[in-house]
Amino acid sequence: MIFRPKYFFGETFSNLKRNFLMFFTAITTVAITLFMVGFFLVIVYDIQGILGSIKSQVEVAVYLKDNITDELRVYLENEIKSWDEISEVKYISKEQALENFKGEYEGSDILKEIQGNPLPASFELRLESPEKVDLVALRFIDKDGNYIEGVDDVIYGQSYVQKLFSIVAIVGTIAFLIIAVLLLATVVLIFNTIRLSIHARRKEIEVMKLVGATNWFVRIPFLFEGFFEGFVGSLISVIFLFILSNYFLIKGERAVVDTMHIKDLAIVGSNNVILYIYLGLVAVGGLIGIISSAFALKRYLEV
Amino acid sequence: MNMIEFRNVSKVYEDNTAALRNINLTIKKGEFVFLVGPSGSGKTTFIKLLIKEISVTTGNIFIAGRNICNLKVSRIPQLRRNIGYIFQDFKLLPNKTVFENIAFALEVIGKPGYVIKVQVPQVLKLVGLFSKMNSFPHQLSGGEQQRVSIARAFVNRPPILLADEPTGNIDPVTSDGIMKLLSRINLIGTTVAMATHDRSIVNSMRRRVVELEEGEIIRDQKRGVYGV
């Protein structure tokens, strides 16, 4: 068959004009359904990001006894550094602890009450794998259940950390299911809409076939149309998503972050992943359009 | 030369109704044949078999000496490009103009634009609708619509023209015009087969008449009339 782009594009766009209502329906269906999928993806990605950044901030504070020798301290520090679970060890001396404390409570009456330096020196540990925080804490306890020599106390938010990890897992699973169901609904809706618009033109297809058109000749303008509907529809959904996440979600999150004093929190749109979500939606839209058209056409081509 | 030849052709539909039984018939090049008979006698099946819209159950059909029964599906478009087909309900596309409806048949078979620009006005002059080139089908009378449909069937100058009750939806006076047009097309060498109920047309034309009844040929008469 001779490929004639002028005919195919001309046909696609004159059909666009003449079947405007059908195109409008198809495009809005794609836009609304993909918007829902995209909205969920952004929200889920966002929640995962926030939980992830909280997770990465899981710290273990190891308080040292005041009478610890320098040799023992250095030995402990090197020992901790050699563990796989640890990404960073920071030593905070008694003096620095006091400085930090003063900084945090500047102007407060508490400072006047302090005499000398009651604060202990400590190690602040950041973990490579925050899930293993229990394991790390256990390493500071000897077989009798006491802290090892030189260590006064080990503190990490046991219950809160464990809860956080199970929330991350649950949210991830539920979100995956919802997105899968939404995506399936999207495919079915788009497919039905395109099938209706092809059904409305079955007479045209029949006449084409009876005057000797090959199947591909009939098919190509419909595939173009399907692609166009999917592409434009998904583009519209991405524009709305962009506005929603940039002007509403981010503002909302900034406010939450500011009131909760969480540092280094991942915020929507601050990452390339959102861009990939947008690109993915457009690709999925175009693809669903083409594939739906191809499948919906099948039975009408059998003339 | 035989343009169309049916050899022992039978067609049984899926619900076991026999539409045609053991048909043997030859139509020569340039002939004009009426297929007559009551509804359900097999006229439409006869025509649909020729363009392979449906396939035979047994037997063979030859067009210009070629057996079309073992034609590959991918060759069907080629077959249809050599056969013009006129429908009782015209089958014009409502959202295309007269010009576009006819041009469509040429575009579909890959004719370039400059050929279309010459051939469409030519065939519109032949059917007497040159001035209505830019009208839409709903702006035309039934007779005019049927003439557009004939123009579309003939624009590619096919050697065979099939018509399934072309005057079925048209008043008698307009029908005469349609028949004159088909006669002219026949005169320039086109083989025409026309299924019809229309007694007065068949009687006035005096062409070959093939009468079908319950899927069998019960009469094949040169220069015949509708009923005996």
Side-chain angles (χ1 to χ4, degrees):
Chain A
M1 189 192 68
I2 326 126
F3 181 70
R4 292 181 305 138
K6 215 177 131 191
Y7 167 79
F8 290 122
F9 283 119
E11 196 64 10
T12 302
F13 284 97
S14 72
N15 283 335
L16 263 179
K17 268 194 320 209
R18 282 170 180 159
N19 304 310
F20 181 75
L21 197 66
M22 229 48 225
F23 278 87
F24 182 77
T25 312
I27 287 172
T28 40
T29 306
V30 174
I32 292 169
T33 50
L34 282 184
F35 175 79
M36 293 200 315
V37 171
F39 182 68
F40 244 86
L41 277 174
V42 169
I43 293 280
V44 164
Y45 169 70
D46 195 24
I47 291 173
Q48 297 281 29
I50 291 173
L51 292 180
S53 73
I54 292 174
K55 210 165 101 173
S56 73
Q57 287 176 32
V58 169
E59 282 181 358
V60 178
V62 180
Y63 293 105
L64 303 176
K65 291 198 166 125
D66 278 352
N67 58 5
I68 189 168
T69 60
D70 281 354
E71 290 80 27
L72 185 54
R73 179 177 61 72
V74 172
Y75 169 78
L76 271 177
E77 185 168 356
N78 287 333
E79 178 66 21
I80 294 169
K81 272 181 183 161
S82 72
W83 298 343
D84 287 343
E85 300 90 347
I86 306 299
S87 70
E88 199 187 329
V89 181
K90 207 161 110 194
Y91 173 65
I92 294 169
S93 65
K94 282 180 72 77
E95 294 73 33
Q96 211 184 330
L98 189 63
E99 283 302 305
N100 291 351
F101 187 81
K102 280 180 180 167
E104 260 175 68
Y105 292 93
E106 219 181 323
S108 163
D109 288 341
I110 301 177
L111 293 179
K112 291 175 196 152
E113 316 239 329
I114 294 177
Q115 292 171 345
N117 186 356
L119 296 170
S122 65
F123 290 124
E124 278 181 6
L125 314 186
R126 284 195 168 238
L127 302 190
E128 194 73 59
S129 31
E131 296 84 350
K132 293 187 179 152
V133 64
D134 280 333
L135 209 74
V136 172
L138 273 175
R139 288 187 180 229
F140 291 98
I141 293 171
D142 63 18
K143 54 181 186 292
D144 297 328
N146 303 315
Y147 286 116
I148 56 174
E149 202 186 338
V151 173
D152 189 38
D153 200 1
V154 175
I155 286 178
Y156 66 100
Q158 284 102 326
S159 59
Y160 127 81
V161 167
Q162 290 311 326
K163 265 183 201 150
L164 185 66
F165 292 146
S166 48
I167 289 173
V168 171
I170 292 169
V171 166
T173 314
I174 293 175
F176 176 79
L177 286 176
I178 292 179
I179 288 170
V181 169
L182 268 179
L183 210 59
L184 191 73
T186 305
V187 170
V188 171
L189 263 176
I190 295 174
F191 177 73
N192 279 341
T193 313
I194 288 183
R195 195 169 59 175
L196 269 178
S197 94
I198 289 177
H199 183 78
R201 286 157 64 195
R202 65 195 180 282
K203 197 175 157 188
E204 196 173 332
I205 297 171
E206 188 194 350
V207 173
M208 280 172 115
K209 289 287 316 237
L210 289 179
V211 297
T214 58
N215 282 348
W216 274 109
F217 190 91
V218 178
R219 212 177 267 141
I220 285 175
F222 281 100
L223 296 188
F224 269 137
E225 282 165 37
F227 174 76
F228 187 80
E229 287 164 352
F231 183 74
V232 172
S234 54
L235 223 53
I236 293 172
S237 74
V238 165
I239 290 170
F240 277 102
L241 272 180
F242 180 81
I243 294 171
L244 187 85
S245 68
N246 274 24
Y247 296 97
F248 295 98
L249 274 182
I250 289 185
K251 272 189 185 161
E253 277 172 15
R254 286 249 159 77
V256 171
V257 168
D258 287 346
T259 51
M260 284 171 67
H261 298 291
I262 309 170
K263 40 182 177 170
D264 308 326
L265 201 64
I267 287 177
V268 159
S270 58
N271 195 306
N272 277 340
V273 176
I274 296 288
L275 187 68
Y276 291 138
I277 291 179
Y278 292 162
L279 288 178
L281 283 178
V282 174
V284 165
L287 214 63
I288 292 179
I290 290 186
I291 294 173
S292 303
S293 294
F295 274 97
L297 263 176
K298 254 181 145 179
R299 51 181 288 212
Y300 298 109
L301 286 176
E302 285 165 9
V303 177
Chain B
M1 182 188 144
N2 288 338
M3 193 51 114
I4 296 169
E5 185 179 355
F6 276 57
R7 264 190 222 163
N8 309 317
V9 171
S10 295
K11 173 65 187 176
V12 182
Y13 285 109
E14 276 162 17
D15 57 356
N16 279 329
T17 51
L20 288 178
R21 296 164 211 255
N22 200 29
I23 298 288
N24 282 289
L25 181 76
T26 55
I27 297 174
K28 289 195 162 45
K29 183 175 184 301
E31 257 192 293
F32 193 119
V33 180
F34 284 116
L35 296 166
V36 301
S39 300
S41 58
K43 304 189 298 289
T44 301
T45 302
F46 185 96
I47 283 175
K48 283 185 170 171
L49 283 172
L50 282 170
I51 57 161
K52 252 183 116 65
E53 198 176 335
I54 53 177
S55 298
V56 297
T57 309
T58 56
N60 289 294
I61 298 172
F62 297 85
I63 290 180
R66 279 200 60 182
N67 190 344
I68 64 160
C69 294
N70 47 30
L71 207 61
K72 271 196 255 161
V73 174
S74 61
R75 304 296 297 168
I76 292 175
Q78 205 54 48
L79 167 74
R80 289 177 181 169
R81 288 169 195 191
N82 286 305
I83 301 177
Y85 193 171
I86 302 161
F87 313 87
Q88 179 175 4
D89 57 354
F90 322 137
K91 290 203 196 300
L92 300 176
L93 302 177
N95 53 5
K96 287 185 190 294
T97 65
V98 168
F99 182 95
E100 288 168 332
N101 260 287
I102 298 166
F104 182 68
L106 292 174
E107 279 163 354
V108 153
I109 61 174
K111 286 276 163 76
Y114 63 90
V115 173
I116 294 172
K117 280 195 190 105
V118 173
Q119 284 194 1
V120 175
Q122 247 175 28
V123 80
L124 277 173
K125 273 180 196 149
L126 177 76
V127 301
L129 285 174
F130 185 74
S131 59
K132 306 232 166 158
M133 196 185 291
N134 296 317
S135 305
F136 284 91
H138 66 89
Q139 297 168 314
L140 303 178
S141 70
E144 287 169 330
Q145 289 189 41
Q146 189 56 291
R147 269 146 62 193
V148 176
S149 144
I150 293 172
R152 182 182 61 196
F154 191 63
V155 66
N156 188 35
R157 306 286 158 126
I160 299 172
L161 198 66
L162 305 175
D164 192 2
E165 313 235 7
T167 57
N169 289 353
I170 296 167
D171 65 82
V173 179
T174 318
S175 295
D176 283 346
I178 297 291
M179 291 319 295
K180 283 203 182 84
L181 189 54
L182 290 178
S183 293
R184 275 177 70 187
I185 288 171
N186 174 240
L187 274 177
I188 51 180
T190 314
T191 309
V192 179
M194 169 173 160
T196 187
H197 279 316
D198 198 321
R199 180 178 291 267
S200 65
I201 284 176
V202 177
N203 290 346
S204 66
M205 295 272 290
R206 286 296 181 141
R207 300 299 185 112
R208 181 178 171 188
V209 173
V210 173
E211 185 172 355
L212 291 166
E213 199 180 283
E214 291 186 353
E216 285 178 280
I217 295 176
I218 56 165
R219 178 164 63 107
D220 185 351
Q221 195 177 16
K222 277 202 164 129
R223 303 182 61 77
V225 291
Y226 188 89
V228 188

